[in-house]
Amino acid sequence: MKYILYIWTLLFSLATFSQSEKACVVTDSNLANQWLTLENNWRYQKGDNMQWANPSFDDSSWKESSLSYNLNMPNGENAIANRGEIVWFRMCIKAGSSLNKAIVLNIYQLGASEIYLDGRLIHQLGKVSSDIDKIIYNNPYQQTLELPLEKGKEQILAVRYVNAQYKFPKYATTNGFIRIAASTLSNANSRDIIKNNRIYFHQQFINNYYIALGITILMFIIFLSFFLFFSSEKINGYFAISIFFLILFVIGVIWVSVYPGIPFWITFCYGACIVISWIIALYCLYKIFEQPLDIVYKIVSFLGLVAIGCYFLYDPDILSPVWGILGYMTIIRIAVKSWNKNKVGSILFTSSSFICLVYWSLIVLEMIGFLQIDIIAFIPFVFMVNPIILAVYLGYSFGKRSQELRLSLERVQKLSKEKESILSLQNETLEKQVQERTASLKQSIEDLKSTQSKLIQSEKMASLGELTAGIAHEIQNPLNFVNNFSEVSMELIDEMEEEMIKGEKEEALSIAKDIKQNLEKINYHGKRADGIVKGMLKQSRVGNNVKEPTNINVIADEYLRLAYHGLRAKDKSFNTELLTSFEESLPKINVIPQDIGRVLLNLFTNAFYATHHKQKMASKDYKPLITVTTVLKGKVIEIVVKDNGMGIPENIKDKIMEPFFTTKPAGEGTGLGLSISYDIIVNAHGGTIAIDSKEKEYTIFTICLPLG
């Protein structure tokens, strides 16, 4: 038993010695003016057991971590814990006896973790859980975390970590990143980038993006203002759109940097914005250099869209610089091609794009491990190079155009002085010519007015002729009756005289009764003729422009008959069928009766003319038909005049209401009928008149008169 105790004591001493040999010692020298990345002396084990935080736990069976910047990838290739898996890290750490400064930690992680010191939880960063839906992501890379080490004592630093890296991009280079660095509190609070390259460097990086954001917003306002004030310069509008997407990109980078752990789609969106901004800016540069959008532009734009889709596979921070290099090479290409046309623009964009091309090439080389340089802090300003050069070029272009305008103005002023005397003489000549032509124009206007008055009077006389013919035809029947009964009465008087001479008193009285009846009939038909004449004169009298309650049905019926009889009086061979559909409950409406009658007479006359003309040309099967309809629709009386005549050709339908336009042969129409009708309906009565026609088939005129 005694020997066994000796053996256990020896083994424990060896184990303690072994751990002592592998302890990470932090001293004044290795923490001086820098952050010390704790990447050596770690042991790790995948799984989860809270006993692994205890300092007494024997972790000698755990795997040792080789040199790696990412603890979750100890060999630099394969991750220990995949998404949602928990892994423990342990190391022996010791504060040097001469170290008198407070020690702090800085942790960058893509997940959540718990930090233990000698079994005591000192920091909980998010929530560690084996259920991926319950993990609370926390990346405290801008914070300093206290590490309360005791001087000269070896202590166990344990880390319980869960990988919460997002699903996309699928082939991420980090694959669950966790990095732990230690330094003194004074270094952590320093504003020296060398001493505090973990925190202050990043803060300066964000500040640079804030500066870039201010510059982009200012340039967006400038380009947008140029476009709004000079809308013909559409290129400024495209610049403004490009800068707008650049603003979205900068905002996205700031958001991700200040609030780590945001969803992947935010990164996807701002990565897409910078590509879209580039494609639009490249288009603008093609327009500036007056170059056609060639196959190179289309290929680069297509690759940019492909790069956006590839964000689900690879980190945008890797793809965008590669695509950006292609973009800068394209700019240099078109700038060099435009050397002869635009030397200043070629120099500006070639030099700026070359600088950016070199920068992004260095960034790509650093990403793939060929170079070890730290120039990432300048990225925000690199994004600003081309927009600033654009603004400089626009300023130059504006100044150049202003100079050209000034020189042109000077030449114009010089020419104006030389020709001032010539212009003076020409002005005098022009004044005389203007006076002569003005007098001639006045005389022409007077002649035109006189001619117009005569044409209008001619139109009125034509309407009056139609009206007179209708009236004559209307009173012909009662006059025939008067004549006939008068002749019969004269014969009866002769007979009565003979009977009186014969002494046949009763026979004479019978004849007297017949004479009386004839006289009553003569009186009746005479009054009928008198009523027709008075009614027609009332409807056709000139000079009465007073609106009065009028029955539209009566006017439509009277003028339809008058128009028909007027045409029949001229051509006895003409015959047509008349169909009327008058709404009996139609209310009276305040109109100028003679004006409305004039409009209807014009429409009826045109309808009869169209059917009569077609009758002469059509086959015997053709039957002329005129339909007149009145109907009340809401607060509007609608009058529809339809004929099955020649119709109106489509190419003259818009001209049919114009003054002096007519399709009738010379001498048969003035071209004022429909124009005057339009004026009466629309301007005098506030109604509407519409035309629907199909050539060689029909014509429909629709008049709408408001009740009020």
Side-chain angles (χ1 to χ4, degrees):
M1 186 67 180
K2 181 177 179 181
Y3 293 109
I4 293 174
L5 290 174
Y6 286 152
I7 293 172
W8 276 109
T9 302
L10 177 61
L11 291 174
F12 179 78
S13 300
L14 290 174
T16 304
F17 176 77
S18 174
Q19 289 187 355
S20 303
E21 288 295 321
K22 293 186 178 181
C24 177
V25 181
V26 291
T27 63
D28 284 329
S29 59
N30 58 16
L31 296 184
N33 300 330
Q34 65 177 349
W35 282 86
L36 174 65
T37 301
L38 303 180
E39 54 189 6
N40 296 317
N41 305 316
W42 288 97
R43 291 178 180 271
Y44 63 89
Q45 177 67 42
K46 188 165 72 171
D48 192 23
N49 187 339
M50 297 306 298
Q51 296 298 320
W52 294 347
N54 295 331
S56 60
F57 176 76
D58 183 11
D59 59 8
S60 59
S61 63
W62 287 17
K63 296 179 181 178
E64 294 184 4
S65 173
S66 59
L67 182 65
S68 176
Y69 193 62
N70 179 4
L71 295 182
N72 194 43
M73 297 176 66
N75 57 6
E77 295 180 1
N78 299 316
I80 299 171
N82 294 320
R83 185 167 174 260
E85 293 183 332
I86 299 175
V87 62
W88 280 78
F89 300 95
R90 284 169 57 96
M91 77 177 307
C92 181
I93 190 168
K94 176 181 178 182
S97 57
S98 62
L99 185 63
N100 295 318
K101 297 179 180 179
I103 302 174
V104 293
L105 294 176
N106 175 252
I107 298 178
Y108 185 98
Q109 63 183 15
L110 298 179
S113 63
E114 294 172 355
I115 311 301
Y116 296 87
L117 185 64
D118 282 344
R120 179 170 60 91
L121 179 65
I122 60 175
H123 297 293
Q124 183 170 354
L125 309 175
K127 181 180 179 181
V128 180
S129 174
S130 57
D131 186 350
I132 193 169
D133 295 326
K134 294 182 180 179
I135 298 172
I136 298 178
Y137 185 105
N138 183 17
N139 188 5
Y141 67 101
Q142 296 186 70
Q143 303 175 20
T144 54
L145 307 172
E146 180 185 6
L147 181 61
L149 294 178
E150 298 178 20
K151 289 194 297 183
K153 179 183 178 183
E154 293 184 355
Q155 296 175 270
I156 298 298
L157 180 65
V159 179
R160 182 183 180 222
Y161 169 73
V162 62
N163 179 7
Q165 181 170 315
Y166 292 111
K167 183 178 180 180
F168 298 108
K170 189 172 182 180
Y171 303 108
T173 56
T174 53
N175 200 17
F177 195 95
I178 179 169
R179 179 197 65 218
I180 302 176
S183 189
T184 62
L185 182 60
S186 59
N187 285 344
N189 293 331
S190 174
R191 302 183 73 83
D192 188 326
I193 294 179
I194 297 177
K195 292 182 179 180
N196 193 10
N197 63 338
R198 285 289 178 269
I199 298 175
Y200 185 66
F201 172 82
H202 182 77
Q203 186 60 48
Q204 189 184 55
F205 177 76
I206 296 176
N207 290 341
N208 289 345
Y209 264 105
Y210 276 116
I211 295 172
L213 179 62
I215 295 173
T216 52
I217 292 175
L218 178 62
M219 297 188 66
F220 173 74
I221 294 173
I222 292 173
F223 287 129
L224 183 62
S225 300
F226 282 158
F227 175 69
L228 293 177
F229 289 115
F230 307 99
S231 56
S232 60
E233 298 285 341
K234 294 183 179 180
I235 193 71
N236 292 318
Y238 292 122
F239 283 145
I241 296 173
S242 175
I243 297 298
F244 175 75
F245 280 101
L246 184 58
I247 290 173
L248 295 180
F249 164 75
V250 175
I251 291 174
V253 174
I254 294 174
W255 193 358
V256 171
S257 300
V258 176
Y259 303 103
I262 63 174
F264 164 76
W265 66 267
I266 297 292
T267 305
F268 175 83
C269 287
Y270 79 69
C273 284
I274 189 61
V275 174
I276 295 172
S277 173
W278 252 104
I279 292 174
I280 299 173
L282 196 58
Y283 170 82
C284 294
L285 289 172
Y286 267 86
K287 294 301 179 182
I288 285 177
F289 288 117
E290 299 178 353
Q291 294 287 340
L293 297 179
D294 54 14
I295 188 65
V296 175
Y297 173 80
K298 295 175 183 178
I299 291 174
V300 172
S301 300
F302 175 74
L303 291 177
L305 299 177
V306 171
I308 293 175
C310 290
Y311 289 166
F312 291 97
L313 301 176
Y314 299 99
D315 194 339
D317 291 340
I318 296 175
L319 290 175
S320 294
V322 175
W323 182 84
I325 289 173
L326 295 177
Y328 285 117
M329 292 173 65
T330 306
I331 294 175
I332 293 173
R333 172 179 168 271
I334 62 172
V336 172
K337 283 180 65 177
S338 305
W339 175 262
N340 294 328
K341 292 182 179 179
N342 190 346
K343 289 185 173 58
V344 174
S346 180
I347 292 172
L348 287 174
F349 290 106
T350 301
S351 57
S352 63
S353 298
F354 181 77
I355 293 171
C356 295
L357 178 63
V358 171
Y359 178 84
W360 286 113
S361 299
L362 293 175
I363 289 290
V364 171
L365 291 175
E366 193 270 338
M367 285 180 178
I368 61 180
F370 283 0
L371 293 176
Q372 291 295 324
I373 53 176
D374 194 3
I375 56 174
I376 195 171
F378 300 103
I379 285 180
F381 301 120
V382 174
F383 284 122
M384 298 299 105
V385 172
N386 267 357
I388 292 174
I389 293 299
L390 278 174
V392 171
Y393 177 78
L394 286 179
Y396 160 76
S397 179
F398 182 78
K400 183 179 179 182
R401 277 189 282 181
S402 299
Q403 179 70 8
E404 291 175 353
L405 288 174
R406 186 181 64 81
L407 294 174
S408 298
L409 181 60
E410 290 178 355
R411 286 195 296 268
V412 169
Q413 289 175 343
K414 184 178 180 180
L415 289 173
S416 64
K417 290 180 180 179
E418 292 176 353
K419 297 183 178 181
E420 187 173 353
S421 58
I422 298 174
L423 288 174
S424 179
L425 293 173
Q426 289 181 344
N427 284 336
E428 293 177 2
T429 305
L430 286 173
E431 286 178 3
K432 292 179 181 179
Q433 291 178 350
V434 167
Q435 291 175 358
E436 293 173 357
R437 292 182 181 179
T438 301
S440 176
L441 182 60
K442 287 181 179 179
Q443 184 61 40
S444 298
I445 292 173
E446 293 296 329
D447 294 342
L448 181 61
K449 288 181 178 178
S450 175
T451 303
Q452 186 177 6
S453 299
K454 291 178 181 179
L455 285 171
I456 293 174
Q457 184 63 26
S458 174
E459 177 66 23
K460 290 181 179 179
M461 293 304 294
S463 299
L464 184 59
E466 297 288 342
L467 189 62
T468 303
I471 293 172
H473 191 278
E474 279 288 295
I475 65 175
Q476 187 64 47
N477 287 334
L479 286 176
N480 288 337
F481 279 107
V482 170
N483 292 332
N484 292 335
F485 283 114
S486 296
E487 292 175 359
V488 172
S489 297
M490 289 176 65
E491 293 175 358
L492 288 174
I493 290 174
D494 291 337
E495 291 179 7
M496 187 178 66
E497 287 179 351
E498 292 176 0
E499 296 297 329
M500 289 289 290
I501 294 172
K502 292 178 181 181
E504 297 291 336
K505 186 177 180 180
E506 291 182 0
E507 186 67 26
L509 289 174
S510 175
I511 293 173
K513 288 181 181 179
D514 291 338
I515 293 172
K516 183 180 180 180
Q517 289 178 356
N518 287 346
L519 291 174
E520 287 176 352
K521 292 178 179 179
I522 289 171
N523 183 56
Y524 168 75
H525 288 290
K527 287 182 178 180
R528 181 184 169 197
D530 180 64
I532 291 172
V533 173
K534 287 181 179 179
M536 294 301 102
L537 290 176
K538 180 181 178 182
Q539 295 298 335
S540 61
R541 66 182 179 270
V542 180
N544 182 12
N545 291 325
V546 178
K547 292 183 179 180
E548 56 186 67
T550 304
N551 190 326
I552 294 297
N553 289 341
V554 173
I555 292 181
D557 184 59
E558 290 178 352
Y559 278 90
L560 179 62
R561 286 186 291 104
L562 288 174
Y564 180 62
H565 293 319
L567 186 59
R568 288 273 298 164
K570 295 178 183 178
D571 187 353
K572 298 294 184 181
S573 65
F574 176 71
N575 194 13
T576 187
E577 183 181 358
L578 302 178
L579 292 181
T580 58
S581 176
F582 298 148
E583 186 170 325
E584 295 180 358
S585 60
L586 205 65
K588 289 186 177 182
I589 183 173
N590 281 325
V591 295
I592 303 173
Q594 63 273 18
D595 284 355
I596 298 299
R598 186 176 179 184
V599 171
L600 293 175
L601 181 63
N602 188 280
L603 296 182
F604 296 152
T605 302
N606 287 346
F608 287 130
Y609 179 87
T611 54
H612 188 37
H613 185 58
K614 185 174 181 179
Q615 190 178 34
K616 294 177 181 179
M617 302 172 61
S619 63
K620 294 181 180 180
D621 296 334
Y622 171 70
K623 294 181 180 180
L625 174 63
I626 308 295
T627 304
V628 182
T629 306
T630 62
V631 64
L632 178 64
K633 290 188 176 180
K635 296 183 178 181
V636 173
I637 291 178
E638 187 177 274
I639 308 168
V640 180
V641 180
K642 179 179 180 181
D643 68 75
N644 62 347
M646 295 299 294
I648 302 172
E650 191 68 29
N651 60 333
I652 66 169
K653 192 178 293 184
D654 294 337
K655 304 177 183 179
I656 204 72
M657 293 290 185
E658 293 179 2
F660 310 113
F661 181 84
T662 180
T663 58
K664 296 178 181 178
E668 294 189 23
T670 62
L672 290 171
L674 287 177
S675 173
I676 294 173
S677 298
Y678 180 86
D679 185 67
I680 290 172
I681 296 298
V682 177
N683 298 328
H685 291 84
T688 61
I689 181 168
I691 305 172
D692 179 21
S693 180
K694 187 173 182 180
E695 190 174 2
K696 296 182 180 180
E697 291 192 18
Y698 67 86
T699 298
I700 302 174
F701 281 88
T702 303
I703 297 174
C704 294
L705 294 172
L707 293 177

